Amino acid sequence: MALRFTTDVATAETDYGTVLLDQRKGLYWELNPTGTLVVRTLLNGGEETDAIDALVAEFAVGRDRAAEDVAALVAELRASGLAA
């Protein structure tokens, strides 16, 4: 399922990844380059399998590990209220 941030989340890409600001709570989240790739893929309409494929292609990671990491990141973003 594609991802979208709630309207209260501001994002900024940096040289080291992406920073997310939860404007409701005043909390910052920092995504590393792998997290940034996953989020960018999903925000652009990709599915979790597309994000897994992108990780495997870009980084030295196995498909099973990539799948676990994508699922964990998406679950965390949704549980925190940052994403729907």
Side-chain angles (χ1 to χ4, degrees):
M1 170 185 301
L3 185 81
R4 67 175 174 80
F5 287 123
T6 62
T7 57
D8 296 319
V9 175
T11 64
E13 288 201 25
T14 69
D15 292 339
Y16 308 104
T18 300
V19 176
L20 310 175
L21 169 61
D22 181 344
Q23 297 176 57
R24 294 167 300 158
K25 298 177 184 175
L27 298 174
Y28 285 93
W29 294 62
E30 186 173 352
L31 301 176
N32 63 18
T34 57
T36 295
L37 179 58
V38 169
V39 166
R40 187 182 307 131
T41 301
L42 297 174
L43 289 175
N44 287 334
E47 300 293 326
E48 288 188 27
T49 54
D50 299 316
I52 294 165
D53 292 341
L55 285 179
V56 170
E58 184 72 23
F59 298 98
V61 62
R63 188 160 189 79
D64 290 341
R65 178 58 190 254
E68 291 171 11
D69 291 348
V70 168
L73 177 57
V74 169
E76 177 109 11
L77 290 171
R78 289 193 171 126
S80 70
L82 294 174

